[in-house]
């Protein structure tokens, strides 16, 4: 009787771990893609962004445009245009340490946006011709 019970418990545990492995296989690609995207954002934020110029300023999640503008003002910059999301703004300054000042003021990421806005720029509304 004990052998049958032990065998039954082992088969239940094995079935549960197989289900967990199958679930992990479906979630793992998305998790890896998310991790790669976050690493790329951090790398873009920390490397090669120095000196005066135009930058995409990413405020903490949940921030509003007013919060991003406040970060820009604290770093002695000016708003060029809002970004596509409420916590992103494009800013410019002649200050040599503008990118570092933005980070010190609370920006989560500072990305060089000279001559481009990419997906950070707002969608343009089409007007009928």
């Amino acid at each position: 009787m004990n052998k049958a019970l032990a065998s039954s418990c082992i088969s239940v545990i094995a079935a549960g771990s197989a289900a967990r492995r199958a679930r992990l296989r479906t979630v793992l690609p998305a998790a890896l893609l998310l991790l790669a995207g976050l690493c790329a954002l951090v790398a873009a934020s920390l490397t090669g962004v120095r000196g005066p110029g135009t930058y995409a300023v990413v405020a903490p999640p949940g921030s509003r445009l007013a919060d991003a503008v406040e970060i820009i003002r604290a770093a002695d910059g000016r708003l060029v245009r809002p970004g596509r999301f409420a916590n992103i703004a494009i800013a410019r300054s002649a200050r040599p340490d503008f990118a570092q000042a933005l980070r010190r003021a609370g920006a989560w990421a500072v990305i060089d946006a000279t001559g481009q806005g990419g997906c950070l720029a707002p969608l343009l509304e089409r007007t009928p011709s």
Side-chain angles (χ1 to χ4, degrees), residues 24-120:
L24 181 62
R25 269 182 287 196
T26 60
V27 173
L28 189 60
L32 290 175
L33 187 60
L34 175 66
L35 182 62
L38 288 174
C39 289
L41 183 61
V42 168
S45 175
L46 297 177
T47 60
V49 180
R50 288 180 172 54
T54 304
Y55 298 99
V57 180
V58 181
S63 298
R64 296 167 296 135
L65 179 60
D67 300 322
V69 170
E70 192 57 40
I71 290 171
I72 294 165
R73 282 193 187 136
D76 296 327
R78 68 176 181 84
L79 178 69
V80 174
R81 67 176 180 264
R84 181 174 292 180
F85 302 103
N87 66 324
I88 298 175
I90 308 299
R92 180 176 293 144
S93 176
R95 185 176 169 169
D97 65 337
F98 186 47
Q100 291 81 11
L102 287 167
R103 284 192 203 92
R104 283 192 302 269
W108 273 35
V110 179
I111 303 164
D112 186 10
T114 306
Q116 61 185 348
C119 64
L120 302 175

